[in-house]
Amino acid sequence: MTAIAATAPETSTARPQPRTGRLVGVDVARFLAVLGMFCIHFGVPFLTGDAEVWVAQFSSGRSTALFTLLAGVSLALLSGRTTPPTGDALRQARLRITLRAVLLLVLGILLAKATEATGFLLTVIIPFYGLYFLLAVPFIRLRARGLLIAAAVTALVGPQVSFVLRTWIAGDTPMAWLVTAVNTVDPGHLIAKAGVFDLLLLGFYPTFSYLPLVLLGMAVGRLDLRSTKVRCWLAVAGLAVSIAGWRVSEWLLQTFDGEPPGPTEGTVPIEHPHWLLATTAHSGTTFELLDSGGIALVILAVCLMLTDRVGKLFKPLAAAGSMALTLYALHAATMAWLIVVGGYSLSGVPEPLAQLSTMGPDLPDTPGMPAFPRDGHMPDGVVAFICTFMPEVFLIFAIAFPLVWKRFFRRGPLEGAVSESVRWLSDRFARRS
């Protein structure tokens, strides 16, 4: 990201303002991000064998990075596109985004509580999104170059600061006492383990690690995304950053002769500080941000280029991408249903998880364990069929439902509810002031 910050073209007054209107390529990229999450949680649709494994491995971590980067793009599009707002427009943008952040926090906490049957298999990202949006508010006034510098600095510093703070929290320190005290009164933590410290440091998508991707997305959104030159630059820079991050990480791990990093759950375990040098999915390291963030830039650039040339072919995916919040919530609810009815092992998930889900009364009674049936029962008939082909069924639904919905409504159900709530609340605040 440092390289990007040093070389990014600044698009401000040197050219006419780009056309407004929806960028279809952004919606298509957003659909690919949620599709990657579907593949992780349900299994890869229509693929088996090595191809299925490759898609699942590629999607792990990178779909989250793409989803998060696109959140930043959306923030830029909501706040002036290439020209940062000033004066009253800036105050209005800050108010609207703050309101949207609070609504996402509330919605995310409720969704996390409603789908707690998924246990460790799914962490709802929406409340984290709310905090990302809230912490991005001070950066709204910046242009692309300033946002790129902020993204580079936070990517370099954030994961390391997170590691130090989590080390303090793990010990008998004032920091640990503070976290304990706050958690006892934090409604987000009490309801769904989505309190302020969960969202900042301890959760699966901690803000200390993922805010740089939001800032990078905001910087991208400040560029003229209709420009072919900008799109080519994004693709080349993204690929270069991803390869550089991966290669430097590999070299550092070999140099320090560290053991191969194991699976991570949002952060690097404090027992393994050398894992901070790795690009492991969901580790939240600087090098993972470089790797996955670079790939996200490439995917966005390719989507923007393709939709300009063959946009009609991508209309169904764009419609689905414009309803990503709704589809994400439906996929979380569907996964909870899949687990509760005992059909999780039928949907093509990895063998260790399939075995765990069918243990019945022998299932370990540990925190975060999914609510697999304790009697070990499995569905039959139509329910068994749906569970077995859930990756394919949900993919078809995720494309068909938005197409039908869009014939009658401009926004998806949750998208419309959030946008109308923001509009109504901002009008109320404006009248009071």
Side-chain angles (χ1 to χ4, degrees), residues 31-49:
F31 172 74
L32 293 179
V34 294
L35 175 61
M37 296 180 184
F38 300 163
C39 291
I40 296 300
H41 296 140
F42 293 140
V44 181
F46 302 109
L47 291 178
T48 58

Side-chain angles (χ1 to χ4, degrees), residues 1-2 149-166 201 207-212 215 276 284-287 289-290:
M1 290 182 186
T2 306
I149 293 172
V153 171
T154 53
L156 181 63
V157 174
Q160 282 60 247
V161 172
S162 167
F163 186 87
V164 172
L165 292 177
R166 287 183 294 106
L201 285 166
T207 305
F208 267 74
S209 292
Y210 285 92
L211 184 61
L215 298 176
L276 286 168
T285 68
T286 298
F287 293 101
L289 295 177
L290 293 173

Side-chain angles (χ1 to χ4, degrees), residues 10 15 49 94 96 114 125 148 170 214 246 251 256 266 273 316 324 347 351 394 396 405:
E10 187 75 55
R15 65 179 67 183
R94 284 173 170 168
R96 289 194 304 270
I125 197 175
L148 285 166
V214 177
W246 172 62
W251 175 75
F256 289 97
S347 64
E351 185 61 28
F394 199 86
I396 294 170
W405 182 271

